[in-house]
Amino acid sequence: MKPTRNWWTLLALAGLLQAVCGLYEDQIGKFDWRQHYVGKLAFGAFDSSSLDRIIVATESNVLAAISAKSGDILWRQVLETGPRGDIKLLHVPSQGNGVVQQSGGRYNRAFDVITVTGVNPAMVRGWNSNTGTLEWEWSLVPVNPDRAEGAVWFLHEGTLYQVVPVAGSHLELTGYVATTGQQTRAATTRITAAWIKDGRCTLSGSFYACAIDEQLLAIDLLAENPQIIVKPLEAPASSVPKPLPGTPAIIQDNRLYSLTSDHKTQLSPEDSLLVDDSVLEGEPLLLHATTNRPKNTLALTAQKLRDNTPYEALDFSAEYPETLGAPQLVAIRCKTSAGGGKQLACRVLIAREDGAITLVQQGKIKWTREEALADVETADFLDLTLSDAEGAIEEELNNKNGDVFGAMQRRISNQIAHVKNLVLHVLGLGPAPSKAQRAGLVRDDFGLHKMLVVVTASGKVFGIDNVSGKQHWVRYLPEMTGFGNAQPMKLMVQRTSRFYPLTAQCVVLGRHKETKNGLLYQFNPITGQPINDGLVQLSYKIRQASLLHETGPDFLRGLLLLDEQNEAHALPESTAKFVNAFYLFSADRETATIRGFLVEFSNGRLTTTPTWTVNLGGPGKGQQQIVAIEGKNPIEHVHSQGRVLADRSVLYKYINPNLIAVATHGPDNIHKYILNVHLLDVVSGSIVFSMSHKRVRPPLHMVHSENWLVYTYYNDKVRRTELASLELYEGKTQANSTVWSSLDAPPLPLVERQSYILPVAVSALKETITEKGITSKHLLIGLTTGAVAEMTWALLDPRRPVTSPEKAREEGIIPYMPELPLPHEIIVNYNQTVANMRGIHTAPSGLESSCLVFVHGLDIFVTRVAPSKTFDLLKEDFDYLMITTVLVLLTSVSYVVKHFASKKAIKQAWK
């Protein structure tokens, strides 16, 4: 019995250790929150082994299981990033149709779910659908990687087939045992198919089909003697054919063609089809989903595929919010209800064009997952509106008519109204709170509660509470997309909510999906309501955009747009008069050419004058390409203009607001790759500083702030991630201490630079920012592990000496060490890792000590940091009772002392 007692003792100790493993556990989730996502759906199916599980594979290289009851993520596997993790096939076995293998005389289930990812190599994996754990895997390295790029896969009766098309020649078909990777045949089967063309073909089941001119050609790959199937098209094919899940059929130009019969059906552009044979025990049903936008409804109908007769048991309609995109039927599962009527209870999984995933059950939307948030492009924090009481005070202060007695009368009446509202509120008879107050969207005293406006790649705009993570409003812009050259949509703040009673106004700037012309969406960021009809379609393409500095009486900052003909436009047009010697620049990523323009308003119109051109591409055509351009934050404040040295002199910072950092990258005959970093003045076109890194390649991340520049890169020679830090100084005298002008040709700066070694790869980089710039700057480093490290500038200072002289110690500069430490204490998100992190956004709060942080990737994470600690806040464990007691005691003692002092003064006067 003694060993049993020891085991129980060990289990009890393990339980106690688990209970105390959290560090500052009371702070978890108090100032931060995280939300998990899976991405836009690529494949999906109901798990046959569980009624409450949906297996999905997404375009974000994620395999996950979602609860059919609540929509929560049961488990998630994030696969490799990039092409290596692209999911080519997802197979979820149906009931009783799983692949099994024999081991030791017993049949065991070899897998639950199969995925095929990547090309070179292609990884075939088997997953446990209950836990999401990997059960087995094998890889396939293609003999010809170029041909394997277009390979497609399908599974049939336990055999995994790879189809490699060779354009204009043949198809190569290879079969593998799904669980082991062993070839089922000695050699690859070559099927002659000279009609194959790149980008015109698809795989539907075991049929390989191509739309060529006015014909649809297909071939059954598993037939003993494959014969070409020819289907005439109504018109020449204008798009790539799409397979119909569940049956060998093709959708081409809004028409359905069956590959096994003469059946064809005309479809509308927004129709969605799905074939399922599990509802009627093997008889296939064709499910058809249509949307009615004026009524915001979704209708689902079904018909038997064999005789095209309707199946009314599955007909239903559901509400379809306007914030959802076009539907795409993914999977359906039905069961007979418990009653005697044998009615069907069905769940339908629907993927949306905007990335949302919806489950419809019995004609009602059971849950919706906004997976567009897995692909955030830009974001910003906006101040909330004032409460009713604060708004009344603002209105009173804004009334500046000079009437003293009128102001006193308004002050007294407002005070009486406040007391009246207080009494009515206590009695429960007060006026109903406003909509913003009911939602909690009112400004707090410290400015920590804000509205987080998020713009996603699918054209969805969200208004999220940065304190609770609640989505207050959603808007979908199906016609809008990002710019070319990997430039996302832009979010610009034209007016904040500080100008009471005027409402805040933002604009999302993008381009039209079809015409490629500029497209604007103006809206109120607090309520999400559109302003002036919302969408504004432009008749020209946008090359550059900027906000004007001056505003009119409505405090609205206008937009200055530059089209492809280098013509300037102001929106709204009434703001064109505020354009006064405005400088713009445009950059061509491919040729690494940057051009500067001067925009002026004269004679009632805007004129654009080219001022300078800089070519950073090198001598060869396209040798160097721009990989990053980073300017300074327009809302940044520089508190200190200089740095005090050990001899009490001041080293003044080179603070040029017109300075941008441009990084170019390209091949080199000697050093393989070269990364060039240039500091460019966009007003004069002069290059202030340049530096080259040899045998360096992206990813490159850059931060430009005040008088310093920090960027990270991958050193291919020593195979590690490095960080370069630069600081620019004017010297011990300033050329102009009042106004900076790029046209005065100031002296070139003194540049201090240093390089450091990072132990992990970097996925994002951002600096902290505060309202007045008094707080120290820290660098937020997003790591590929999903952590966000807050690095103090003392470790990145390029003036860190190799030795440790007395001057450096007196200035507080630590000695130089090439390795940057990453202790666990500087990890901002502790164990709340953000998968596939892509960006970090920071914004100031109302407190000078605090900075708001938004981290986005596959997940989103919001928190706040205090680089110089919370010097303007009391600690949470502050002893209010003690300080109150001390204040009362000191006040009482002061009155007693005052009494004795007066008596003493009287006695001395009578002497």
Side-chain angles (χ1 to χ4, degrees):
M1 298 298 292
K2 188 174 182 180
T4 304
R5 179 179 295 178
N6 293 338
W7 275 109
W8 281 110
T9 304
L10 290 175
L11 288 175
L13 289 175
L16 291 175
L17 290 174
Q18 182 67 22
V20 297
C21 66
L23 182 64
Y24 303 116
E25 195 169 358
D26 59 327
Q27 299 292 325
I28 295 178
K30 189 170 185 179
F31 305 114
D32 56 71
W33 51 266
R34 179 184 61 168
Q35 295 177 358
H36 290 289
Y37 296 97
V38 297
K40 188 176 182 180
L41 206 64
F43 306 95
F46 286 91
D47 187 12
S48 60
S49 61
S50 174
L51 297 176
D52 187 33
R53 190 161 51 235
I54 304 172
I55 308 298
V56 297
T58 69
E59 297 179 2
S60 300
N61 302 351
V62 173
L63 176 69
I66 299 177
S67 172
K69 293 181 180 179
S70 61
D72 297 333
I73 300 176
L74 301 178
W75 54 261
R76 185 182 70 174
Q77 293 288 350
V78 181
L79 307 180
E80 298 88 347
T81 58
R84 291 188 58 191
D86 289 344
I87 300 177
K88 307 293 184 180
L89 173 69
L90 171 68
H91 175 75
V92 180
S94 58
Q95 188 68 32
N97 194 27
V99 177
V100 294
Q101 68 178 4
Q102 188 174 9
S103 176
R106 299 176 60 187
Y107 283 92
N108 299 321
R109 194 177 186 88
F111 69 91
D112 290 321
V113 176
I114 283 183
T115 59
V116 180
T117 58
V119 175
N120 188 16
M123 300 296 299
V124 184
R125 296 182 173 105
W127 308 86
N128 189 310
S129 63
N130 293 324
T131 60
T133 55
L134 179 66
E135 294 183 343
W136 52 264
E137 70 174 355
W138 54 272
S139 61
L140 177 65
V141 179
V143 178
N144 192 333
D146 296 335
R147 292 182 179 178
E149 289 290 337
V152 289
W153 302 76
F154 69 95
L155 190 71
H156 181 73
E157 295 181 356
T159 302
L160 184 64
Y161 292 93
Q162 183 192 35
V163 183
V164 180
V166 181
S169 179
H170 63 277
L171 292 166
E172 298 178 358
L173 179 67
T174 310
Y176 302 92
V177 178
T179 55
T180 63
Q182 182 181 1
Q183 287 194 19
T184 56
R185 296 182 183 180
T188 300
T189 303
R190 295 168 61 94
I191 302 174
T192 303
W195 37 269
I196 296 176
K197 290 185 178 181
D198 290 335
R200 310 297 298 176
C201 305
T202 189
L203 183 69
S204 179
S206 62
F207 287 81
Y208 195 82
C210 298
I212 310 297
D213 297 331
E214 296 183 357
Q215 288 183 333
L216 181 63
L217 306 176
I219 189 170
D220 188 358
L221 302 176
L222 297 182
E224 295 183 2
N225 297 314
Q227 300 294 326
I228 300 177
I229 302 171
V230 181
K231 300 280 185 179
L233 300 178
E234 299 294 331
S238 61
S239 61
V240 181
K242 299 179 181 179
L244 178 61
T247 187
I250 292 295
I251 300 175
Q252 179 64 46
D253 295 335
N254 300 327
R255 187 176 290 270
L256 171 66
Y257 297 90
S258 175
L259 300 179
T260 56
S261 64
D262 296 332
H263 176 74
K264 60 182 179 179
T265 305
Q266 182 66 37
L267 307 173
S268 63
E270 293 188 356
D271 283 349
S272 177
L273 301 179
L274 174 67
V275 174
D276 188 86
D277 58 358
S278 63
V279 180
L280 291 180
E281 298 179 354
E283 183 174 356
L285 289 177
L286 179 63
L287 306 178
H288 188 268
T290 57
T291 56
N292 188 340
R293 280 301 181 184
K295 297 182 179 179
N296 290 333
T297 58
L298 171 70
L300 181 69
T301 58
Q303 65 183 37
K304 298 179 181 179
L305 197 60
R306 294 178 181 176
D307 53 7
N308 294 331
T309 58
Y311 187 70
E312 299 180 354
L314 282 180
D315 293 352
F316 65 84
S317 61
E319 293 184 1
Y320 194 79
E322 60 181 6
T323 59
L324 298 177
Q328 178 64 46
L329 293 175
V330 178
I332 185 173
R333 165 167 288 186
C334 299
K335 65 177 182 178
T336 306
S337 59
K342 295 184 178 181
Q343 295 182 353
L344 287 178
C346 296
R347 291 174 173 175
V348 183
L349 181 64
I350 300 176
R352 312 290 181 175
E353 185 182 13
D354 58 291
I357 304 175
T358 303
L359 186 77
V360 179
Q361 180 175 340
Q362 297 302 100
K364 296 182 179 180
I365 295 180
K366 190 174 181 64
W367 50 259
T368 298
R369 292 188 57 86
E370 293 289 357
E371 294 300 332
L373 288 170
D375 197 3
V376 175
E377 287 194 342
T378 183
D380 204 351
F381 290 90
L382 275 301
D383 290 328
L384 297 174
T385 57
L386 297 174
S387 62
D388 295 341
E390 292 175 339
I393 296 175
E394 287 290 331
E395 287 184 351
E396 180 184 350
L397 295 177
N398 289 335
N399 194 340
K400 300 178 181 179
N401 53 8
D403 185 5
V404 178
F405 295 101
M408 183 179 67
Q409 181 182 0
R410 287 191 299 272
R411 174 95 302 267
I412 295 174
S413 60
N414 286 335
Q415 293 291 350
I416 294 174
H418 289 166
V419 174
K420 177 182 176 181
N421 290 334
L422 177 62
V423 175
L424 292 177
H425 178 73
V426 173
L427 299 177
L429 302 175
S434 62
K435 185 177 180 181
Q437 288 178 326
R438 290 196 301 269
L441 298 179
V442 291
R443 194 181 307 171
D444 60 331
D445 295 332
F446 298 139
L448 297 172
H449 189 191
K450 293 179 181 281
M451 177 67 74
L452 175 61
V453 180
V454 175
V455 181
T456 64
S458 63
K460 257 191 170 178
V461 187
F462 294 84
I464 304 176
D465 195 318
N466 77 312
V467 174
S468 63
K470 179 183 177 182
Q471 298 175 10
H472 289 285
W473 54 265
V474 182
R475 290 293 178 269
Y476 179 43
L477 311 174
E479 301 175 352
M480 185 176 289
T481 184
F483 300 95
N485 295 329
Q487 291 296 314
M489 290 178 282
K490 305 297 181 183
L491 174 65
M492 297 182 176
V493 182
Q494 293 184 284
R495 184 173 57 212
T496 65
S497 58
R498 295 182 179 181
F499 305 101
Y500 188 87
L502 299 174
T503 60
Q505 180 172 333
C506 290
V507 60
V508 177
L509 183 63
R511 65 175 180 175
H512 199 278
K513 286 184 178 179
E514 297 180 358
T515 64
K516 308 302 180 184
N517 289 338
L519 189 62
L520 307 179
Y521 177 69
Q522 299 172 340
F523 64 100
N524 184 334
I526 308 302
T527 63
Q529 296 299 321
I531 298 176
N532 299 330
D533 298 330
L535 286 175
V536 178
Q537 297 190 18
L538 306 178
S539 58
Y540 49 86
K541 298 180 180 179
I542 299 176
R543 171 172 289 181
Q544 184 61 282
S546 179
L547 284 172
L548 297 178
H549 303 301
E550 297 183 22
T551 63
D554 58 353
F555 302 101
L556 184 70
R557 299 179 65 183
L559 280 176
L560 183 63
L561 306 177
L562 189 71
D563 61 18
E564 290 194 334
Q565 282 71 38
N566 297 331
E567 295 292 333
H569 308 268
L571 291 177
E573 296 181 358
S574 59
T575 60
K577 59 185 178 182
F578 299 116
V579 180
N580 183 20
F582 200 97
Y583 289 87
L584 284 175
F585 77 95
S586 65
D588 191 328
R589 182 183 296 270
E590 300 296 329
T591 62
T593 302
I594 304 177
R595 295 179 175 87
F597 303 93
L598 171 62
V599 184
E600 292 180 309
F601 181 76
S602 61
N603 299 326
R605 60 186 298 269
L606 294 174
T607 59
T608 306
T609 305
T611 54
W612 54 267
T613 301
V614 175
N615 187 359
L616 304 176
K621 183 179 180 181
Q623 183 177 2
Q624 291 278 325
Q625 294 184 355
I626 297 177
V627 293
I629 296 180
E630 197 69 31
K632 298 181 180 180
N633 197 326
I635 64 174
E636 179 183 62
H637 289 82
V638 181
H639 181 259
S640 176
Q641 294 186 355
R643 185 167 182 172
V644 180
L645 303 181
D647 58 358
R648 297 302 182 265
S649 63
V650 178
L651 188 61
Y652 290 99
K653 299 177 182 178
Y654 181 85
I655 303 174
N656 185 351
N658 306 317
L659 200 66
I660 65 169
V662 183
T664 62
H665 183 266
D668 184 75
N669 297 329
I670 300 176
H671 305 288
K672 289 187 178 181
Y673 304 101
I674 285 185
L675 175 70
N676 297 319
V677 178
H678 309 275
L679 295 178
L680 181 68
D681 191 307
V682 295
V683 171
S684 63
S686 60
I687 297 179
V688 176
F689 177 76
S690 296
M691 187 169 58
S692 296
H693 300 273
K694 301 172 178 61
R695 293 195 65 176
V696 163
R697 57 183 175 89
L700 177 76
H701 303 280
M702 188 179 294
V703 168
H704 190 194
S705 176
E706 290 193 4
N707 68 318
W708 53 266
L709 175 70
V710 170
Y711 55 95
T712 61
Y713 54 85
Y714 184 78
N715 192 327
D716 206 16
K717 181 179 180 180
V718 291
R719 298 186 179 184
R720 67 190 181 197
T721 300
E722 295 181 355
L723 183 145
S725 174
L726 283 78
E727 270 191 330
L728 286 75
Y729 294 96
E730 285 192 55
K732 295 189 178 181
T733 58
Q734 281 185 302
N736 192 332
S737 60
T738 57
V739 178
W740 175 274
S741 176
S742 297
L743 302 178
D744 289 344
L748 292 178
L750 306 174
V751 181
E752 300 281 353
R753 51 183 173 174
Q754 198 66 268
S755 294
Y756 300 94
I757 301 172
L758 282 171
V760 292
V762 178
S763 58
L765 209 63
K766 195 67 176 179
E767 84 281 10
T768 60
I769 185 171
T770 54
E771 191 171 16
K772 301 298 182 182
I774 302 174
T775 306
S776 301
K777 290 272 189 178
H778 281 194
L779 193 68
L780 298 176
I781 306 175
L783 310 178
T784 54
T785 59
V788 180
E790 184 182 1
M791 185 77 67
T792 177
W793 180 251
L795 296 175
L796 307 174
D797 194 342
R799 299 182 68 246
R800 291 176 61 182
V802 178
T803 59
S804 182
E806 295 182 0
K807 292 183 178 180
R809 287 199 301 267
E810 192 169 346
E811 291 183 34
I813 304 176
I814 59 179
Y816 173 77
M817 289 185 62
E819 296 86 3
L820 288 175
L822 286 177
H824 294 288
E825 293 80 8
I826 68 172
I827 302 301
V828 174
N829 55 340
Y830 46 102
N831 65 342
Q832 307 285 351
T833 57
V834 179
N836 293 346
M837 189 187 307
R838 286 188 296 272
I840 302 174
H841 179 78
T842 57
S845 66
L847 289 174
E848 174 58 30
S849 64
S850 300
C851 172
L852 304 178
V853 180
F854 170 61
V855 186
H856 61 88
L858 187 61
D859 307 323
I860 60 176
F861 175 75
V862 173
T863 186
R864 64 177 188 242
V865 296
S868 298
K869 307 301 181 183
T870 53
F871 57 84
D872 50 1
L873 279 177
L874 295 177
K875 294 183 179 180
E876 290 186 349
D877 56 351
F878 183 79
D879 196 340
Y880 293 94
L881 179 60
M882 183 192 70
I883 194 65
T884 304
T885 305
V886 171
L887 288 176
V888 171
L889 183 61
L890 289 176
T891 304
S892 304
V893 169
S894 63
Y895 276 103
V896 172
V897 171
K898 179 181 179 181
H899 174 70
F900 284 112
S902 61
K903 290 181 67 175
K904 182 179 179 181
I906 292 174
K907 288 182 179 179
Q908 289 180 350
W910 279 100
K911 289 183 179 180

